[in-house]
């Protein structure tokens, strides 16, 4: 898998943000990424966030993929506001914005 953490960059790694208020879903996605990495040789740099506030304050456009808890985290608060202002319309329609 390569790496986890928010404070350093890994050359050539796919930068992934996991945003969920529960530990188990973040751990499950990280586990799937790890398995994919081992099977396909892809490297990931994973940053984990336990709230929308943590993810968006301050937001940096540093991620290639973002996995959101669309039921809670993405539907309300700063993440919903952020995506309603910056995400493409197709994505906003998908998450109900």
């Amino acid at each position: 898998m390569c790496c986890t953490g928010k404070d350093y960059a890994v050359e050539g790694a796919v930068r992934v943000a996991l945003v969920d208020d529960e530990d188990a879903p973040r751990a499950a996605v990280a586990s799937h990424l790890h398995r994919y990495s081992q099977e396909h040789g892809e490297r990931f740099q994973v940053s984990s966030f336990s709230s929308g506030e943590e993810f968006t304050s301050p937001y940096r456009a540093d991620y290639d993929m973002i996995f959101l808890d669309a039921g809670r985290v993405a539907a309300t608060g700063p993440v919903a506001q952020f995506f309603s202002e910056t995400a493409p319309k197709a994505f906003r329609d998908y998450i109900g914005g």
Side-chain angles (χ1 to χ4, degrees):
M1 164 123 98
C2 184
C3 312
T4 60
K6 301 174 195 145
D7 298 327
Y8 59 90
V10 177
E11 185 81 26
V14 176
R15 298 160 302 177
V16 179
L18 306 178
V19 186
D20 198 306
D21 57 340
E22 296 181 31
D23 292 336
R26 290 193 318 265
V29 173
S31 176
H32 288 297
L33 291 171
H34 180 70
R35 186 177 70 213
Y36 186 90
S37 175
Q38 290 180 324
E39 292 172 359
H40 300 281
E42 188 70 59
R43 296 183 341 153
F44 297 96
Q45 177 182 336
V46 178
S47 298
S48 184
F49 302 91
S50 61
S51 71
E53 292 83 5
E54 182 183 2
F55 175 65
T56 59
S57 294
Y59 177 74
R60 298 180 318 225
D62 291 343
Y63 301 102
D64 301 306
M65 290 191 293
I66 301 170
F67 289 87
L68 295 171
D69 173 0
R72 289 187 185 167
V73 174
T76 62
V79 174
Q81 180 180 352
F82 170 78
F83 280 112
S84 71
E85 295 169 357
T86 61
K89 179 165 179 8
F91 181 77
R92 290 195 314 264
D93 290 344
Y94 176 75
I95 65 169

